[in-house]
Amino acid sequence: MITPSPSRRRGRPVDERARAERRAHILAAARRRFLSSGFHGASTADISREAGVSVANLYQYFASKEELVLAMVEEDLQSDLAFFADLFRGADFLACVEAALAALAHAGRERRELGLRAEIFAEALRNPRVHEALATSQERLVAALSERVSAAQARGEIALADGMTARDVGILLFALADGIYSAGGLDLLDGARAARRTRLLLGRALAPGR
Amino acid sequence: MITPSPSRRRGRPVDERARAERRAHILAAARRRFLSSGFHGASTADISREAGVSVANLYQYFASKEELVLAMVEEDLQSDLAFFADLFRGADFLACVEAALAALAHAGRERRELGLRAEIFAEALRNPRVHEALATSQERLVAALSERVSAAQARGEIALADGMTARDVGILLFALADGIYSAGGLDLLDGARAARRTRLLLGRALAPGR
DNA sequence: GTCTATAGGGGGATAGAC
DNA sequence: GTCTATCCCCCTATAGAC
């Protein structure tokens, strides 16, 4: 913040591109370590070892461990938005919902990211900055889902009950996605089956012309 | 396990009742500390201070920190079963669902337990013993919910789509409850409104005679 | 810019006195 | 059964050499 812009600094100019790349490299290493040991279980030494740099160097790119989490929340948001954008490209809204929920349950079962998300969630409840980042992220995801609901409604594909808004359905879909993703991680449910059944239920609830 | 039964031991007999009481006392203290600092943030020193005993004494009642978590999962299961049993006493199934989801969203907003649950969940994904305890717990909750669905179906209050089982609906309700509870903690949704809208949606999906 | 070395502070768990 | 004192480990973050 106080740092002058590169052009006004003396000496060798900073290679902003190299900085961004190394930063991403360290963040990816942190993600891998947090994934297998949890946020509090992975030390800065673990992370820097994984990234192949020194601990002190890590602190040249992230002011604290907290910064790593905040950067990850932002990454997750972009990844989630892409996930939904990809799955909701099809025309059939309910088929898209089914595919999305099945993919989520499957992702939960593989636990590649589930533990990390739980860790971030828990951290959000104690750390105001993480909380704000995560709440903003969730709000944007709900908005994206609501848009898809609106579009399907405009196409006449689904109909909402009196007093239901597209946002209401978006929130419910978000909550359901969250729950199914989590339940998958505990081997509680068969993801494909859960998604198919969800579609049946939602189909009866949202299909128009009845 | 190797300890002989009290009756076969020499000297003053063990006061099993006093032991159980102190154990519960320490567990309650651990819950309070875990609640405000998280599982990894609360030290055994914090917990024993909260309970008013020494650290060494805590270890007379719990072999490790892990044992505290396992005991808490068991307590939570009993509490959750009681929660649903209490809320599903009414005759109107959909009204019961609405009340339960509203209560969950409200509980999530208050964050009295949400962080602890997230912590336990994350721990379950790394610790096999915690994982098994939590999976068993979730299975029992789903079974309890499924029973309520079956009962409502038997009364003719709701009807399932072809191929849907009561258990399918129970799982979906569980996942939805989980998601709504979590979303409440991030101030994402208005719990009462979400519950009412959920009822509208489920009402159209499950109501019979159409 | 990157490193080694270390400060400064907990952490979980236990030995042994009472 | 309960305690005080302590072991030995690891933590985040930084100072200062190169």
Side-chain angles (χ1 to χ4, degrees):
Chain A
M1 312 304 181
I2 314 170
T3 310
S5 70
S7 61
R8 301 187 58 186
R9 217 179 325 174
R10 290 160 186 273
R12 187 170 40 177
V14 177
D15 185 344
E16 296 291 346
R17 186 194 181 92
R19 267 198 80 80
E21 269 173 18
R22 176 161 275 205
R23 189 186 144 97
H25 177 72
I26 293 172
L27 189 56
R31 195 176 275 279
R32 289 194 296 276
R33 294 306 303 136
F34 287 161
L35 263 169
S36 46
S37 306
F39 177 56
H40 294 280
S43 67
T44 49
D46 290 336
I47 296 163
S48 49
R49 200 179 307 119
E50 172 91 24
V53 301
S54 70
V55 176
N57 193 234
L58 181 152
Y59 278 93
Q60 297 287 327
Y61 291 86
F62 297 92
S64 65
K65 232 181 153 181
E66 181 187 55
E67 294 289 332
L68 287 167
V69 180
L70 291 172
M72 256 181 286
V73 171
E74 181 56 31
E75 264 193 0
D76 281 352
L77 170 61
Q78 298 308 327
S79 144
D80 290 353
L81 287 172
F83 172 82
F84 283 122
D86 190 47
L87 277 167
F88 275 87
R89 259 205 308 255
D92 183 344
F93 177 78
L94 291 170
C96 290
V97 168
E98 177 182 339
L101 293 180
L104 278 170
H106 185 69
R109 278 178 97 77
E110 297 221 328
R111 288 176 215 163
R112 280 215 293 261
E113 296 208 350
L114 186 52
L116 188 43
R117 303 250 177 173
E119 210 80 37
I120 289 174
F121 185 87
E123 190 65 20
L125 294 174
R126 285 189 292 272
N127 182 322
R129 292 185 65 198
V130 177
H131 183 276
E132 194 193 334
L134 192 54
T136 301
S137 171
Q138 296 206 343
E139 175 54 42
R140 290 203 42 196
L141 284 168
V142 166
L145 283 173
S146 303
E147 266 177 41
R148 303 290 168 171
V149 174
S150 281
Q153 193 185 7
R155 288 199 304 269
E157 215 177 316
I158 59 174
L160 305 183
D162 285 347
M164 289 284 290
T165 66
R167 183 177 162 82
D168 290 329
V169 178
I171 287 176
L172 291 177
L173 284 176
F174 177 81
L176 194 55
D178 199 41
I180 283 186
Y181 183 50
S182 298
L186 289 163
D187 300 326
L188 179 64
L189 50 79
D190 171 344
R193 183 175 168 84
R196 218 176 318 120
R197 299 305 188 240
T198 307
R199 184 190 180 181
L200 276 177
L201 208 61
L202 283 176
R204 289 183 63 187
L206 295 174
R210 292 187 315 177
Chain B
M1 312 305 177
I2 316 170
T3 310
S5 69
S7 62
R8 302 186 61 185
R9 214 179 331 174
R10 290 160 185 271
R12 185 170 41 177
V14 176
D15 185 343
E16 297 292 345
R17 186 193 182 98
R19 268 197 80 80
E21 270 174 16
R22 175 162 275 205
R23 189 185 145 96
H25 177 71
I26 293 172
L27 189 57
R31 195 176 274 279
R32 288 193 297 276
R33 293 307 303 135
F34 287 161
L35 265 170
S36 46
S37 305
F39 176 56
H40 293 280
S43 67
T44 50
D46 290 337
I47 296 164
S48 49
R49 200 180 307 119
E50 171 90 24
V53 301
S54 70
V55 176
N57 192 232
L58 182 153
Y59 278 93
Q60 297 288 327
Y61 291 86
F62 297 91
S64 66
K65 234 182 152 182
E66 181 188 53
E67 293 289 333
L68 286 167
V69 181
L70 291 171
M72 255 181 288
V73 171
E74 179 57 30
E75 264 194 1
D76 281 352
L77 169 62
Q78 298 308 326
S79 145
D80 290 353
L81 287 172
F83 172 83
F84 284 122
D86 190 48
L87 277 166
F88 275 87
R89 260 206 305 257
D92 184 344
F93 177 77
L94 291 170
C96 290
V97 169
E98 177 182 340
L101 292 180
L104 277 171
H106 185 69
R109 278 178 97 76
E110 297 220 331
R111 289 177 217 162
R112 280 216 292 260
E113 297 208 348
L114 187 52
L116 187 43
R117 302 252 177 172
E119 211 81 38
I120 288 174
F121 184 86
E123 190 65 20
L125 293 174
R126 286 189 293 273
N127 182 323
R129 292 185 64 197
V130 177
H131 184 276
E132 194 193 334
L134 192 53
T136 302
S137 171
Q138 296 205 344
E139 175 54 43
R140 291 203 43 194
L141 284 167
V142 166
L145 283 172
S146 303
E147 265 178 40
R148 303 290 168 172
V149 173
S150 283
Q153 192 186 8
R155 287 199 304 269
E157 216 177 316
I158 60 175
L160 305 183
D162 284 346
M164 289 284 291
T165 66
R167 182 175 164 84
D168 290 329
V169 178
I171 287 176
L172 291 176
L173 283 176
F174 177 81
L176 194 55
D178 199 41
I180 283 186
Y181 183 50
S182 298
L186 290 164
D187 299 328
L188 179 65
L189 51 79
D190 172 344
R193 182 174 167 85
R196 218 177 317 120
R197 299 304 189 242
T198 307
R199 183 191 180 181
L200 275 177
L201 209 60
L202 284 175
R204 289 183 64 190
L206 295 174
R210 291 187 315 176

